[in-house]
Amino acid sequence: MTAVDPLAVPLAKQFGARTAKPLAKLGLATTGDLLRHYPRRYAEPGTLTDIASLRVGEHVTVMAEVVRSSARPTSQGRGLLQATITDGTHRLELTFFASNVHKLEWRKAQLRPGRRGLFTGTVSVYRDTLQLTQPECHLDEDEEAALEEAERPIPVYPAVAGFESWKVVKAVRAVLDPLREEDVPDPVPAHLRERDDLPTLLEALRLVHVPHDEAQWRRGRARLRYEEALVLQAELARRRARVARTEAVARPPRAGGLLDAFDARLPFTLTDGQRAVGDEIAAELAAARPMQRLLQGEVGSGKTVVALRAMLQVVDAGGQAALLAPTEVLAAQHARTLRGMLGDLADGGFLGGASDATRVALLTGSLPTAARREAMLDAASGAAGIVVGTHALLSEHVQFADLGLVVVDEQHRFGVEQRDALRAKAARTPHTLVMTATPIPRTVAMTVFGDLETSVLDQLPAGRQGITTHVVPADNPRWTDRTWQRVREEVGGGGRAYVVCPRIDGDDDAAAAARAVEEDGTDLVTDAPDAPDAAQRRPLRAVLDVAQELAARPDLAGVGIGVLHGRMAPDDKERAFADFASGAAPVLVSTTVIEVGVDVPDATVMVVLDADRFGLSQLHQLRGRLGRGTRPGLCLLVSAAEPGTDARTRLETLASTTDGFELAALDLELRHEGDVLGAAQHGRSTSLRLLRVTRDAAVIERARTDARALVEQDVDLAPWPHLRAAIEESLTGEREEFLERA
């Protein structure tokens, strides 16, 4: 008979459906899930909740002392009980209703003055006084037990209405108390626990769920935090080791080839950073082991040049390179940029092409049939040494003669199946270069990109112009008028102006947000703690509406105004972008589809409407479209965010610095890092339970070193089956896919 795993018992079987149902709302299905549902904080023994810190609409659990209670019938004959609780300074009212006053006598006796307890409900206001209506109350009837418990920190759990924190406590204790060491497999190898004096997993669970003092729960959390880091880093190390064991085709540099010809024609000098990173990549491409490298850098630091030089080295060695971009606008921009940089070196086989030229093919889903067929033929025959495309590159009908390098731009936009589908088009594992236009804090890189070598470009090429950023109050008509006058001045001087909106048309915000993410990559901040309620929030500005408004403004009379967004047909997008670049329509009202890769040297001003609804890093990327020519850029962030709010802080931070790495770190702190291993973004949730990449760099670094040492001994982790099992359990499904994406 198979033994029952005490950590795999369904909660419905353990407690019954009535208890399992609210726990399921917390994402808890088994007894093991429940034990991994850690307290979010600990109330200090004898410490009352600061009532002044409560916010209207917040669902809270407060510890307080009863001051008074009284029951009386209402004019309708129902029962009304009112009680007052205090934290010693401020007061909070409790209100209870019943069909008659006699049914409230037991509650009145329970809420006798001087008793302390936990009270859970939603904070509201009645006659300028904070109150909880029909709150759940937890006052221990056993005075001796209450005194004993009062000496311990009180765990406060994430809970749901109808199943309060103290009920979670009871459920956890019912599962935890009977467990023995042999019931709880420990993912952390014994020698690592002994080295760092770490408790076993069972000991750690008891320390965090039933601590006797602060030192105990801190010790338990530290061990569990390290475990999370070790499990993640072990899997990243395994992936890296597996790739290292595969064989790639070496692509060494060739003297006198395309790369040398390209370098000789460069109208500028490569920065020291570009040269150093280029040498790293060149050496890895020349090896018979697949390159796995992340290339990140400041906006405008020249990542495209570095990637192109890598692609040319592969072409010189007889191979091909594929550049995968997330949108058609960006793919077309990349193709134009590469062709422009290469000149006749991209006209292989055509009249006027250089003798050893190659071709740059563009393959997107919306290409006309003839153009699509030609691009596919160039890729399959090898005539195109560089093939740029969107998801269309992943089609089973697209083939390559000898795919040697895969360059993935904006990697986080692609799923695991898509990346694998492109790599599978190579006879042997191709080299991979992942590019990101968003600077990534070191802790995030270690956590999410731990299986890649990382290259950083932190210098800007000579000639890049400065960008000045200002926050413009949206509710000040004088400032608004001056904003559009400034746009007219820039256009009158030969400049171009971007106007960025968070949505396309006037539909409701929720639908617009969902579509914007899918169609244009807009990264709306919808969950900031200081965000106004839906009823109070003004409608987000939309591309189509704003374009009409600007066309009707007298100060923009005669100025061509174009629109660009993700729902437009490809030909219309190309036309809108061409009109903007040429000056036929020097004002472009757009979504964030222009965020990365778009390069118009004459663009000198950008107006971002509802700027507080964008993330800090995304705003920095948008701003990076400016200052690419001979004139400096001006970025105007129009926002109704109040001073002192997180949203306003984001904007003021952006205006204060142009250091992308500093901004990325601040963005991570302001937006609470979100779900590093899952699809949820920016503060809503995280599949890292205790580990925080903004805080735990030392823990992540230690776990990374330990994980690599384990994998060097055995890539399959056979000596540590519990660690391997933890990897399989925690990094599966959506989390594994996000890990692959990242």
Side-chain angles (χ1 to χ4, degrees), residues 235 239 677-678 687 724-739:
E235 177 57 14
R239 292 174 186 230
L677 296 182
S687 52
R724 186 174 60 195
I727 291 172
E728 292 170 354
E729 179 182 354
S730 62
L731 298 178
T732 57
E734 292 182 1
R735 294 178 187 176
E736 182 179 26
E737 178 173 342
F738 192 86
L739 191 63

Side-chain angles (χ1 to χ4, degrees), residues 177-199:
D177 289 351
L179 290 176
R180 303 163 300 173
E181 286 289 351
E182 56 266 31
D183 295 329
V184 186
D186 197 329
V188 179
H191 72 280
L192 295 178
R193 295 201 309 270
E194 293 168 3
R195 182 196 68 187
D196 295 335
D197 190 28
L198 299 176

Side-chain angles (χ1 to χ4, degrees), residues 82-98:
Q82 292 178 304
T84 303
I85 58 176
T86 182
D87 60 7
T89 303
H90 301 91
R91 296 190 173 197
L92 179 67
E93 299 298 316
L94 310 180
T95 303
F96 303 86
F97 296 99

Side-chain angles (χ1 to χ4, degrees), residues 237-410:
R238 292 173 75 197
R239 292 174 186 230
R240 182 173 179 172
R242 291 193 196 104
V243 172
R245 293 192 305 182
T246 62
E247 186 179 353
V249 177
R251 311 287 182 175
R254 176 170 64 87
L258 279 171
L259 177 56
D260 284 351
F262 173 72
D263 283 348
R265 299 180 180 195
L266 275 177
F268 53 85
T269 302
L270 294 174
T271 66
D272 292 342
Q274 287 174 315
R275 183 69 65 183
V277 171
D279 290 344
E280 288 178 334
I281 293 174
E284 289 186 324
L285 292 175
R289 187 177 73 177
M291 177 181 72
Q292 291 279 94
R293 184 165 288 275
L294 166 68
L295 175 60
Q296 63 164 319
E298 185 55 90
V299 175
S301 58
K303 294 180 292 293
T304 303
V305 173
V306 173
L308 176 55
R309 294 182 74 246
M311 290 189 275
L312 292 177
Q313 178 174 326
V314 170
V315 173
D316 280 340
Q320 294 169 284
L323 172 56
L324 181 63
T327 66
E328 292 197 350
V329 169
L330 186 52
Q333 174 70 28
H334 274 313
R336 279 194 299 268
T337 299
L338 297 182
R339 288 169 181 156
M341 295 172 74
L342 289 170
D344 62 357
L345 296 176
D347 293 332
F350 294 109
L351 186 64
S355 58
D356 55 352
T358 187
R359 295 181 192 172
V360 177
L362 174 64
L363 185 59
T364 65
S366 60
L367 281 177
T369 302
R372 181 181 177 85
R373 186 181 298 118
E374 181 180 358
M376 291 175 63
L377 181 61
D378 283 349
S381 67
I386 299 173
V387 182
V388 182
T390 57
H391 297 76
L393 287 179
L394 311 177
S395 167
E396 61 181 12
H397 302 297
V398 176
Q399 297 179 348
F400 292 84
D402 185 8
L403 181 58
L405 172 64
V406 171
V407 180
V408 184
D409 194 20
E410 291 299 286

Side-chain angles (χ1 to χ4, degrees), residues 44 153 211-219:
E44 291 299 319
H212 284 81
D213 53 41
E214 179 181 344
Q216 285 196 346
W217 65 255
R218 288 194 180 279
R219 183 168 183 253

